[in-house]
Amino acid sequence: MDFGFTEEQEALRKSAREFLTDRSTTGLVRDLMASKTGFDEKLWKEMADLGWMGTAIAEEDGGLGLSLIELAILVEEMGRALLPSPFYSSVGLAAPVIAATADGALRKTLLGGIASGELRATVAIPEEEGRWDAAGIKAKATPVDGGYKLSGTKVFVPDAHLADEIVVVARTGKTKDPREGISLFLVPTSDRKVKVKTLDTIDRTRRLALVKIGGVEVPVDRRLGPEGGAWPLLERALDHSATVLAAEATGLATKVLELSRDYAKERTQFDKPIGAFQAISHRIADMLVLTENARSTTYYAAWAIEEGVPDAALAAATAKVAASEAARVVSQGGMQVHGGIGFTWEHDMHLYYRRAKWVEMFLGDPSIWRERVASLFA
């Protein structure tokens, strides 16, 4: 049994690393942190020309028709490079939700647009309580003539200020089971009744936004999936998104591990490299174990989802917990290995820690995903 990557997958990783090493430097990351939008249009177009946005989108929908494994390889490299881009929100989050719920001409328009990079989308789930489960959905979609009127406020919407379309999760009916009565709607950010305000959060290279939807009317053909029955479809799509996020966390942890290893070799104390001391070497060994565990669970989840095996959802939840915790703990370890300089603004280590916290909290913190693991394993 071969558990390795194919030659084509290794070639994809090599080319992505070379491109991102050259284009997504920490200098660019710092510049975009200080910018108004945190976005580099030129870099986005270059990635679109490489076909990256369509990696895991089916050929009949305008993509390259590759698998989630190839997308995970790309995103792992993006995590290494701290790529400042709406790639995750549009390709890793919105695209699988649209693929799971849209059909007909709208599906082709949306997925084809995302694949070409000409359209950017995102998904709006949590509200003022910050919950990622069905019980947290309070936004309303009321039937009107020929469509629905949507009202509500969403928080933590990634890259909403850069998106053309937002998939809004709203309630079309009340039932005892909070998972029922939920529908998805495609809302254009150009609608004057949609107000987007970026939030001041820990990672300034990946903006989160508050989105107010004040009586937006959408036609019935902009409802994605069945009325009142969209939550199970959304949940399965989010397994895909959680796996992509785990891949990013894995890449981030890998880069911090490498930086810490190299620093432990060159920094000396008492005429010895600091890596010669157990306090440092054992910490780096722990960081390696966490990182490899993150990689293993992530690629198993990508394979499981792609193959549709029965434990795919469990694998995705496990990967989200393992990889996001690994990224956070390894980033903390990296700061400790670097000592005082690792805590300064001038050093890049805090950039990795900020992204690690973003990845850990988005889609729900590890405790929420552990509950999902427990429910699926029972």
Side-chain angles (χ1 to χ4, degrees):
M1 186 177 292
D2 185 4
F3 289 105
F5 295 108
T6 65
E7 288 185 10
E8 290 78 10
Q9 289 168 341
E10 291 292 1
L12 175 65
R13 182 187 299 282
K14 183 174 182 291
S15 65
R17 185 171 300 184
E18 289 174 352
F19 175 84
L20 292 166
T21 299
D22 179 58
R23 298 291 292 112
S24 181
T25 63
T26 51
L28 175 72
V29 171
R30 287 175 180 270
D31 288 344
L32 293 182
M33 283 173 67
S35 70
K36 185 177 180 181
T37 63
F39 179 59
D40 185 334
E41 184 78 41
K42 182 182 176 185
L43 177 58
W44 181 259
K45 287 181 178 176
E46 288 176 340
M47 292 194 302
D49 290 341
L50 291 169
W52 286 3
M53 285 70 160
T55 301
I57 293 175
E59 286 185 275
E60 57 267 29
D61 293 324
L64 297 180
L66 299 176
S67 74
L68 182 54
I69 296 174
E70 279 81 11
L71 181 59
I73 290 171
L74 266 184
V75 174
E76 183 183 348
E77 294 304 314
M78 293 175 183
R80 281 180 62 96
L82 291 174
L83 177 70
S85 157
F87 187 92
Y88 174 72
S89 57
S90 192
V91 177
L93 181 62
V97 173
I98 292 167
T101 56
D103 52 24
L106 182 63
R107 177 190 178 93
K108 281 204 167 188
T109 299
L110 294 172
L111 293 178
I114 290 173
S116 68
E118 294 175 359
L119 182 146
R120 289 188 291 271
T122 188
V123 180
I125 303 174
E127 301 178 12
E128 60 180 359
E129 294 178 348
R131 299 176 62 164
W132 292 88
D133 61 353
I137 304 301
K138 302 290 192 301
K140 292 181 180 177
T142 307
V144 294
D145 187 27
Y148 299 85
K149 179 181 281 189
L150 275 66
S151 298
T153 300
K154 297 289 185 178
V155 297
F156 309 142
V157 185
D159 302 314
H161 64 301
L162 301 173
D164 303 295
E165 302 279 358
I166 302 177
V167 178
V168 175
V169 184
R171 194 165 286 284
T172 46
K174 274 191 173 182
T175 64
K176 287 185 178 179
D177 184 351
R179 293 163 54 87
E180 297 178 358
I182 290 178
S183 307
L184 307 184
F185 299 92
L186 193 65
V187 175
T189 54
S190 58
D191 192 301
R192 61 184 180 82
K193 293 181 180 177
V194 176
K195 306 295 182 188
V196 176
K197 179 185 178 184
T198 56
L199 301 171
D200 189 12
T201 58
I202 191 167
D203 185 359
R204 293 285 294 164
T205 64
R206 181 172 285 168
R207 308 284 169 88
L208 295 171
L210 181 149
V211 178
K212 289 187 176 179
I213 305 160
V216 175
E217 292 192 18
V218 296
V220 70
D221 61 4
R222 281 192 155 248
R223 191 192 74 223
L224 304 178
E227 180 179 302
W231 184 260
L233 298 174
L234 176 65
E235 203 169 45
R236 284 200 291 275
L238 292 183
D239 288 339
H240 185 294
S241 302
T243 303
V244 175
L245 208 54
E248 179 174 353
T250 301
L252 190 156
T254 303
K255 184 63 177 178
V256 172
L257 175 65
E258 292 172 358
L259 291 172
S260 302
R261 176 202 59 196
D262 294 346
Y263 186 76
K265 286 181 177 179
E266 69 181 36
R267 178 81 167 94
T268 60
Q269 281 288 327
F270 308 111
D271 297 326
K272 291 181 179 178
I274 61 172
F277 299 103
Q278 286 186 347
I280 300 296
S281 61
H282 286 193
R283 183 181 291 275
I284 292 176
D286 290 341
M287 292 160 64
L288 172 64
V289 172
L290 286 169
T291 302
E292 289 304 316
N293 186 47
R295 179 169 291 106
S296 299
T297 54
T298 295
Y299 282 101
Y300 177 72
W303 174 84
I305 291 173
E306 195 64 35
E307 296 296 321
V309 301
D311 71 343
L314 178 62
T318 305
K320 175 66 168 68
V321 172
S324 63
E325 285 192 334
R328 191 250 304 157
V329 174
V330 170
S331 298
Q332 288 174 327
M335 296 176 87
Q336 294 292 335
V337 170
H338 282 77
I341 194 172
F343 289 82
T344 62
W345 178 260
E346 289 74 17
H347 199 276
D348 291 335
M349 196 54 63
H350 70 93
L351 302 178
Y352 295 96
Y353 181 74
R354 290 169 185 275
R355 181 64 65 85
K357 284 300 295 182
W358 194 102
V359 168
E360 184 182 33
M361 301 306 292
F362 193 74
L363 296 180
D365 67 23
S367 67
I368 291 173
W369 285 88
R370 278 195 170 84
E371 286 182 13
R372 182 158 166 76
V373 169
S375 66
L376 292 167
F377 195 59

